[in-house]
Amino acid sequence: MNEQQKQSLYDNAKRWVLEAGEHIRTKMHQPLVIETKSNPDDLVTEMDQDTEKFFAEKIRESYPDHKVLGEEGFGDDVKDLDGVTWIVDPIDGTMNFVHQKQNFAISVGIFKDGIGEIGFIYDVMKDCLYHAKRNEGAYKNDQLLPALANSIPLEEAIIGLNSTWAVPNKKVDENGIHRLIRKVRGTRSYGSAALEFAYIAEGIMDSYITMRLAPWDIAAGIVLVHEVGGKVTKANGEPINMLDKQSILASNASIHKEISMNYISFK
């Protein structure tokens, strides 16, 4: 992918993201058809489905040789990341979308041969677009985001953490999470993985930890966080597999290893 091709890809993706967001805002207060997927808290609406279908159709029309990996079933059966793959979450934070009418995002990551090249996270209701191209920096609207601080004490960190992982569960030793909560300055939970990645890239949150995310939850965020010098791995520090669901630790690089080695252990 040369620079001209990359810029054209970026321009089209940006236009589609903003168009999809505008459509969501215009339909926001109309009655929704709400269904559940894996459990009663795993919601999906026709807006999720319509938005992913919109992206899939645009991508296939303009780039028939590209693959689409999406949450709602309109993508391809992606077995590898060879070539160009669009990884799309049409509404990240569907529960917030349903209950709050805010705090949700469109997330689009574009990968070439397994490497994140372009990322968009669009806070729809705030009309705030986080975007990045590999090796060209990350932006919030037109503002270039500075590199993350080289050193931050864990005692001064704000981390994103869902309370699910702080209570007894089958996946993670909650005692380590309890120690981490006592160590850091504060915790937050926004209900949208994409926005939590964006907030790390912006430097207003220092880490985000969760034990089960899909590729579409993290693809765009990985590009953004890497562009400001942050680090994203599995929660135990191992490399991410972009085709699987897995634990995730995204952080300012200065506290990443300390968290993964000292506070996260699995049962």
Side-chain angles (χ1 to χ4, degrees):
M1 185 189 305
N2 62 38
E3 287 305 312
Q4 185 176 0
Q5 291 170 329
K6 187 175 179 180
Q7 184 63 46
S8 176
L9 194 61
Y10 169 90
D11 290 341
N12 282 335
K14 179 180 179 179
R15 184 171 66 254
W16 297 338
V17 167
L18 294 176
E19 184 177 341
E22 176 63 22
H23 178 74
I24 290 172
R25 284 193 297 272
T26 61
K27 302 289 185 180
M28 190 68 194
H29 297 289
Q30 294 185 6
L32 291 171
V33 177
I34 303 169
E35 301 175 353
T36 60
K37 295 188 287 187
S38 61
N39 62 69
D41 298 328
D42 187 8
L43 305 181
V44 62
T45 72
E46 79 274 19
M47 188 66 75
D48 297 77
Q49 296 164 342
D50 289 348
T51 304
E52 182 168 301
K53 183 179 179 182
F54 165 81
F55 280 108
E57 290 176 348
K58 290 290 187 182
I59 294 163
R60 288 172 178 142
E61 178 183 350
S62 299
Y63 305 103
D65 58 330
H66 291 188
K67 292 178 283 192
V68 181
L69 177 57
E71 181 174 11
E72 308 303 343
F74 294 94
D76 302 306
D77 183 16
V78 178
K79 301 297 186 184
D80 58 60
L81 293 181
D82 295 343
V84 178
T85 305
W86 296 60
I87 306 179
V88 178
D89 194 339
I91 297 180
D92 184 77
T94 300
M95 188 178 294
N96 291 348
F97 170 73
V98 170
H99 288 275
Q100 300 176 345
K101 310 299 184 185
Q102 60 181 339
N103 299 323
F104 62 91
I106 296 171
S107 178
V108 176
I110 303 175
F111 280 58
K112 174 70 163 61
D113 295 331
I115 297 173
E117 294 285 350
I118 295 170
F120 290 96
I121 295 173
Y122 186 38
D123 186 333
V124 173
M125 301 311 292
K126 292 182 179 178
D127 190 22
C128 179
L129 181 65
Y130 297 87
H131 52 105
K133 288 183 282 186
R134 186 167 69 93
N135 297 328
E136 297 186 32
Y139 291 79
K140 178 183 179 182
N141 293 326
D142 296 327
Q143 175 188 355
L144 177 66
L145 298 176
L148 299 179
N150 290 330
S151 178
I152 176 173
L154 192 55
E155 293 87 348
E156 297 179 7
I158 301 292
I159 64 170
L161 179 68
N162 190 309
S163 60
T164 300
W165 310 116
V167 299
N169 62 84
K170 297 179 180 180
K171 296 181 182 293
V172 66
D173 179 5
E174 65 273 10
N175 293 318
I177 299 295
H178 292 170
R179 289 190 295 107
L180 179 62
I181 292 170
R182 289 192 291 267
K183 180 79 168 179
V184 300
R185 177 164 284 172
T187 63
R188 300 290 184 269
S189 181
Y190 294 97
S192 166
L195 289 179
E196 305 208 48
F197 270 85
Y199 297 158
I200 292 173
E202 190 176 356
I204 61 175
M205 197 165 73
D206 304 298
S207 182
Y208 173 51
I209 307 163
T210 188
M211 300 306 151
R212 187 171 175 82
L213 286 181
W216 42 81
D217 298 312
I218 63 176
I222 287 174
V223 181
L224 283 159
V225 170
H226 283 172
E227 283 303 298
V228 294
K231 191 170 183 180
V232 186
T233 66
K234 292 183 181 179
N236 61 6
E238 294 178 357
I240 290 171
N241 181 336
M242 285 305 299
L243 294 177
D244 288 337
K245 293 183 177 180
Q246 62 224 292
S247 65
I248 293 294
L249 171 60
S251 293
N252 182 306
S254 65
I255 60 174
H256 191 278
K257 186 175 181 180
E258 182 178 0
I259 292 174
S260 66
M261 291 188 65
N262 298 332
Y263 296 98
I264 300 176
S265 59
F266 294 90
K267 295 179 178 178

